[in-house]
Amino acid sequence: MSPDPLLQIRDLKIELGGELIVDLPSLDVFRGEVLVILGPNGAGKSTLLQAIARLIKPVQGSISFTGSIPQSDLEYRRRVATVFQSPLLLDQTVYHNASIGLRFRGNDKHQARQIVERWLERLN
């Protein structure tokens, strides 16, 4: 029996200005996986991430975490973080930006350093 996905998207459709921007039949992301979303300008990458963060509403489909859709946007947003391309807060080094979320979540400097160094090495 395979584990339940951490993030599950089904039949997602997002329109902006009357144009279909995202048409995603299915996506499962499991704990420990690293997901990269690649595509040309205008492909819908940022739109998809905004929908996952509930900053825009899809016209169809569902997005759920750990098998359930939280009832309130506040509960949902406590589980999701979005960093935009023009950050207001994260204008430091790559190392600092990668470690700040860990520090916000209570990791000390040593723990954060170990995690950040491992991931920066892994992602080159």
Side-chain angles (χ1 to χ4, degrees), residues 3-57:
D4 291 332
L6 183 63
L7 170 67
Q8 186 175 61
I9 297 175
R10 296 291 180 265
D11 302 317
L12 190 68
K13 293 188 186 304
I14 303 169
E15 292 181 356
L16 295 175
E19 183 179 347
L20 184 63
I21 303 297
V22 174
D23 185 0
L24 183 59
S26 177
L27 175 67
D28 291 335
V29 179
F30 294 89
R31 187 171 304 282
E33 284 187 321
V34 175
L35 174 68
V36 177
I37 301 171
L38 297 173
N41 289 343
K45 303 175 301 291
S46 295
T47 302
L48 173 60
L49 293 174
Q50 288 176 34
I52 290 172
R54 280 198 182 169
L55 298 175
I56 60 174
K57 187 174 180 167

Side-chain angles (χ1 to χ4, degrees), residues 60-108:
Q60 176 183 312
S62 65
I63 301 170
S64 62
F65 283 91
T66 60
S68 65
I69 301 173
Q71 295 301 310
S72 72
D73 280 346
L74 178 60
E75 180 185 350
Y76 186 94
R77 288 185 180 135
R78 285 180 175 155
R79 297 179 176 191
V80 177
T82 303
V83 179
F84 293 100
Q85 291 175 5
S86 300
L88 300 175
L89 175 63
L90 303 175
D91 59 353
Q92 301 290 317
T93 66
V94 171
Y95 175 86
H96 181 272
N97 292 342
S99 69
I100 197 164
L102 295 167
R103 298 297 308 279
F104 285 159
R105 294 183 193 276
N107 289 278
D108 64 32

